[in-house]
Amino acid sequence: MAAAEIDNSKYFVREIEKNNGCVLRMKQCYIGDVGCVVWDAAIVLAKYLETKTFYDMSIGVNVWSGRTVVELGAGTGVVGLMAATLGAHVIVTDLEDLQSLLNVNIQENQTLIQSGSISAKVLKWGEDVSELLPPPHYIIMADCIYYEQSIGPLVETLKQLSGPETSIICCYEQRTEGVNPEVENKFFELLQRNFIYETIPSDKQDPEFSSPDIHILHIRRKD
């Protein structure tokens, strides 16, 4: 999409500052579904990718450099964009109606991507993932555990897309109202059939961008 075609009246911008001082400028839609805005869990996960677990240039550590990453339920694309700016080769995925927003944000932040790359593809959970194979090094997902009817297809996609070496990083906001606890329980029940997971303690997360209600999991396939 050419810059001249972007209708800025549709969007409002949220800025996320990286540790190096550069700023991701994320366009969000005034009108749209849940994928059209940057949720807190996405920012927590994006900033987690910059923590010393993965990225510490003072000692020459950059886990993301050259790694392949697929983001599920990318929404605005902020987490995938963060990974791309850190040197990963990223495919951000979501439903058809979010592709234009993803591409606008990729275009808006392209100058921050040096050695990495990023592109957007349509993916409906539970459907064919062959275009995204071979399995990536990382699958990342933020706030994807909310619709009861999507939990089964989401876990099925994780099974189809991951390999024995794939690390899945999942960040979600724990919500106590309505059906949310049941949805979370169903996710973990299905997940544990094929995967093991650990919760990342808050002291391993970004010191500013973390919350007791927002959890980060590292997930792997069972042997």
Side-chain angles (χ1 to χ4, degrees), residues 37-223:
V37 295
V38 177
W39 293 93
D40 290 344
I43 297 177
V44 169
L45 182 53
K47 294 297 291 182
Y48 175 61
L49 303 189
E50 283 195 298
T51 59
K52 290 186 176 180
T53 299
F54 303 101
Y55 189 83
D56 187 355
M57 295 316 290
S58 67
I59 56 172
V61 170
N62 182 4
V63 167
W64 301 112
S65 181
R67 293 295 199 275
T68 54
V69 176
V70 172
E71 183 178 5
L72 301 181
T76 63
V78 62
V79 186
L81 276 161
M82 176 66 85
T85 68
L86 297 172
H89 299 293
V90 182
I91 301 173
V92 286
T93 68
D94 214 313
L95 299 174
E96 180 71 54
D97 58 0
L98 284 160
Q99 295 301 303
S100 60
L101 179 61
L102 282 169
N103 282 305
V104 162
N105 279 324
I106 288 170
Q107 178 184 305
E108 181 81 13
N109 294 282
Q110 197 68 52
T111 56
L112 300 182
I113 300 169
Q114 312 280 298
S115 58
S117 63
I118 188 166
S119 61
K121 287 191 175 177
V122 176
L123 178 65
K124 186 175 181 181
W125 299 338
E127 297 189 356
D128 182 37
V129 300
S130 56
E131 277 195 23
L132 303 170
L133 297 174
H137 295 109
Y138 288 89
I139 298 170
I140 53 179
M141 46 192 260
D143 247 354
C144 289
I145 310 168
Y146 50 86
Y147 287 141
E148 186 171 9
Q149 61 270 31
S150 70
I151 294 301
L154 172 59
V155 175
E156 185 60 32
T157 291
L158 291 176
K159 284 160 56 179
Q160 292 177 8
L161 190 55
S162 61
E165 303 303 316
T166 302
S167 178
I168 302 165
I169 308 178
C170 168
C171 185
Y172 72 99
E173 183 170 354
Q174 189 168 24
R175 297 176 173 92
T176 56
E177 69 277 3
V179 299
N180 286 294
E182 294 170 35
V183 173
E184 287 170 20
N185 289 340
K186 182 177 180 182
F187 173 73
F188 286 109
E189 178 192 327
L190 293 177
L191 188 73
Q192 288 176 98
R193 294 177 188 176
N194 296 96
F195 296 91
I196 55 173
Y197 66 90
E198 62 172 325
T199 302
I200 304 306
S202 58
D203 62 359
K204 297 287 187 185
Q205 301 176 34
D206 184 277
E208 186 179 349
F209 295 92
S210 62
S211 164
D213 299 328
I214 296 176
H215 306 287
I216 300 175
L217 308 175
H218 280 205
I219 304 168
R220 282 190 174 273
R221 293 182 76 102
K222 290 181 176 177
D223 296 333

